[in-house]
Amino acid sequence: MREKILWVGLTFLGLYMILPWIISRVFGWGIHRKGSKLKQVALTFDDGPDPNYTPKLLDLLNQYNIKATFFVLGSKAERNPDLIRRIHQEGHQIGIHNYTHKSNWLMTPRKVRKDHVDRSADIVERITGVRPTYYRPPWGILNLGDFLLRRQYSIVLWSLMARDWNAKAAKQKLKKLLLTRVTDGSVILLHDSGDTFGADEEAPHYMLEALKETLAEWDHSFEFVRVDQMFPETKKAVPAAGELGFIRRLMLSAWLLWERCFVRLFHIVPVSEEDSLLQLRCREYYGSPIKLNDGVIISKGDRIAELHFNNDLLVQLTSQSKSSVHLAIQMIRRTEAMLPRILYLLQNDPQYKDVKGLYGISLIHRGTSQLGFTVIDLPKGMFSFATQYYLKFMMYVLHPQGRDRLRTKNELLVPKIIAISTRELENRYIA
């Protein structure tokens, strides 16, 4: 199980960071990045408001009667309420760009939502009386949980990155890039502040110069709109019961692919070809001593048969189950039916020679004591913490209503060690 948790950790980082990048940048799912109307363009400005550059930018936009979108940092909005009021009063749109310019990869989804997005929206709402509903994460980086923000916020990235945070690029290339690369539906990323990590402090000065010259040459080539005009909010459809959305299907496919790799890598085999729900792996036990109900003690170095569930079959069971209790009953019944077969393997298969007992860790452990298993709390620590979140995440991924399942019968969703000695199996399940 420890190897699995390690692999889960590495896989989780990939799912948490890389998968959202593929979903948003490659497939464009869950985000807005380019409009569809002819001649329509959205100017967007990140990292402000800045007391030096934002007023100059507002003057320039007002000169050309252009409405834009400002994705502001909540901490700066808090310090510059007059600028936020001016942006709002002059008809521009205000979106959220986190409270501080911190990557979402370095935070939990809860922290992103509560301490950055909602907090910043509260600040802007107190100043303007209007709550922002559009969001752009710093550097356009999303973690997997950020897609849940779509219930309250529309996520907007961009179709044209002008690299104007670099003073040299803004001074020498920005005007040419804007004149040659902007097309129908472009969402242009610019910055009205240069004090964030990686930016040049004077870069907004050159951005303003280049934008002023470009607007003069654009004349009436484009209609400049706010992002809420380019991407009007629509009521999101609620998936029908039993249906998985795109993100969940993608997560499920990635999860099952990883599981198949893990099974091959660690030589995990089904108990029976006819019913492969239960799988086994022989290994040495290296945890703290476990005293079982029949007096047998499993100690470090003892050979055990580690129990695993076939997650491909578990997908079918969870999708058909009416509740977590119903799922538990089905799994316990299937396990009980397989125990005589497991005993036969322990008694007759050479690879299971000297196995002291069965061992597993599961969220679904209610009722296993009736089958002869000893149920033991996991020792507190990082392993217990990681195991709990791994198994709950698995439940969320596998079940179409996984979120609801985690909210109901929560007392069942605490992982515990379940173990039974070979001697107890012989006493109960003589083949």
Side-chain angles (χ1 to χ4, degrees):
M1 187 66 181
R2 292 178 185 272
E3 295 96 333
K4 197 165 191 176
I5 296 301
L6 175 61
W7 278 88
V8 166
L10 296 175
T11 305
F12 179 75
L13 290 178
L15 291 173
Y16 194 70
M17 298 178 179
I18 305 304
L19 183 60
W21 187 91
I22 294 172
I23 290 171
S24 59
R25 298 296 183 86
V26 178
F27 296 104
W29 186 89
I31 56 95
H32 301 294
R33 60 183 179 186
K34 189 175 178 66
S36 58
K37 292 187 178 180
L38 295 177
K39 301 298 182 181
Q40 205 174 69
V41 168
L43 286 172
T44 68
F45 300 91
D46 289 7
D47 298 355
D50 183 278
N52 182 27
Y53 295 114
T54 303
K56 297 175 183 178
L57 172 59
L58 290 170
D59 290 342
L60 177 61
L61 295 174
N62 187 55
Q63 178 184 340
Y64 286 90
N65 194 29
I66 288 174
K67 304 307 177 189
T69 301
F70 291 77
F71 288 100
V72 303
L73 295 171
S75 58
K76 291 186 176 182
E78 210 167 28
R79 294 195 301 269
N80 300 281
D82 290 341
L83 274 178
I84 294 296
R85 288 191 195 94
R86 181 182 172 188
I87 293 170
H88 174 68
Q89 290 168 358
E90 294 185 5
H92 303 289
Q93 183 184 10
I94 299 176
I96 299 303
H97 197 51
N98 279 4
Y99 184 76
T100 57
H101 205 273
K102 185 176 181 181
S103 170
N104 290 12
W105 280 359
L106 304 178
M107 299 182 284
T108 64
R110 176 181 172 82
K111 186 171 182 63
V112 171
R113 184 186 71 253
K114 190 173 181 180
D115 294 350
H116 285 264
V117 184
D118 286 347
R119 181 182 182 185
S120 299
D122 289 343
I123 291 167
V124 172
E125 185 177 19
R126 284 198 298 269
I127 297 170
T128 66
V130 177
R131 189 172 186 82
T133 56
Y134 287 78
Y135 172 60
R136 174 180 287 165
W139 296 290
I141 291 174
L142 294 164
N143 67 51
L144 194 60
D146 289 339
F147 289 105
L148 298 176
L149 290 169
R150 295 176 63 246
R151 296 174 178 176
Q152 295 175 280
Y153 304 91
S154 295
I155 302 174
V156 180
L157 299 185
W158 56 83
S159 62
L160 180 60
M161 180 189 292
R163 300 185 62 83
D164 64 312
W165 63 83
N166 181 294
K168 184 178 179 181
K171 183 177 182 179
Q172 298 178 355
K173 301 177 182 178
L174 181 56
K175 178 183 174 182
K176 180 180 179 182
L177 184 146
L178 292 175
L179 289 174
T180 59
R181 297 279 302 280
V182 172
T183 59
D184 298 335
S186 287
V187 177
I188 305 167
L189 170 61
L190 297 167
H191 299 79
D192 58 328
S193 177
D195 62 358
T196 54
F197 178 77
D200 296 327
E201 190 172 350
E202 69 278 15
H205 169 76
Y206 298 109
M207 181 277 292
L208 287 168
E209 287 189 348
L211 183 60
K212 182 177 182 179
E213 294 177 13
T214 304
L215 290 175
E217 293 193 30
W218 266 337
D219 194 22
H220 298 293
S221 301
F222 297 104
E223 175 194 5
F224 293 93
V225 298
R226 301 166 19 145
V227 296
D228 61 341
Q229 295 171 301
M230 181 173 280
F231 310 114
E233 290 183 302
T234 56
K235 189 172 182 179
K236 299 174 179 65
V238 178
E243 291 183 0
L244 291 177
F246 174 79
I247 178 67
R248 293 280 294 284
R249 291 199 307 271
L250 195 58
M251 289 168 62
L252 180 57
S253 298
W255 189 269
L256 292 178
L257 177 62
W258 173 83
E259 283 284 339
R260 291 170 193 137
C261 292
F262 181 84
V263 165
R264 287 182 176 271
L265 184 64
F266 289 97
H267 308 291
I268 298 170
V269 296
V271 172
S272 168
E273 295 297 334
E274 292 77 26
D275 185 349
S276 59
L277 178 63
L278 285 181
Q279 301 173 318
L280 294 177
R281 173 173 74 119
C282 279
R283 68 170 178 87
E284 286 189 1
Y285 178 72
Y286 41 74
S288 301
I290 300 173
K291 185 174 182 179
L292 306 182
N293 293 337
D294 63 351
V296 172
I297 297 176
I298 297 178
S299 304
K300 186 176 181 179
D302 288 339
R303 280 174 53 77
I304 58 170
E306 189 175 71
L307 280 169
H308 295 266
F309 286 109
N310 180 336
N311 282 332
D312 285 284
L313 290 181
L314 200 54
V315 169
Q316 299 176 27
L317 283 178
T318 52
S319 64
Q320 296 165 4
S321 66
K322 300 174 183 177
S323 66
S324 297
V325 174
H326 184 226
L327 174 62
I329 291 171
Q330 290 185 79
M331 293 177 68
I332 289 170
R333 285 176 177 171
R334 295 275 288 269
T335 300
E336 183 177 20
M338 295 304 299
L339 287 175
R341 174 64 181 171
I342 292 174
L343 176 59
Y344 178 84
L345 291 174
L346 298 185
Q347 292 175 330
N348 297 280
D349 193 321
Q351 70 172 315
Y352 295 102
K353 184 181 179 181
D354 299 326
V355 163
K356 206 165 188 178
L358 300 180
Y359 168 93
I361 299 175
S362 179
L363 285 173
I364 303 173
H365 44 74
R366 290 286 180 96
T368 55
S369 57
Q370 299 173 15
L371 306 182
F373 284 87
T374 301
V375 182
I376 305 167
D377 291 336
L378 277 171
K380 293 186 182 300
M382 283 303 298
F383 178 67
S384 175
F385 178 83
T387 301
Q388 181 168 350
Y389 277 89
Y390 157 57
L391 293 172
K392 286 188 176 184
F393 182 72
M394 185 178 74
M395 174 71 80
Y396 170 77
V397 171
L398 293 179
H399 204 289
Q401 288 85 41
R403 178 175 295 277
D404 294 334
R405 292 294 177 260
L406 292 177
R407 290 172 178 166
T408 59
K409 301 292 183 182
N410 197 50
E411 71 277 6
L412 293 177
L413 302 179
V414 177
K416 293 182 182 289
I417 295 169
I418 57 172
I420 185 171
S421 68
T422 301
R423 186 174 74 185
E424 183 68 19
L425 282 171
E426 290 172 343
N427 290 338
R428 286 174 174 260
Y429 304 101
I430 294 295

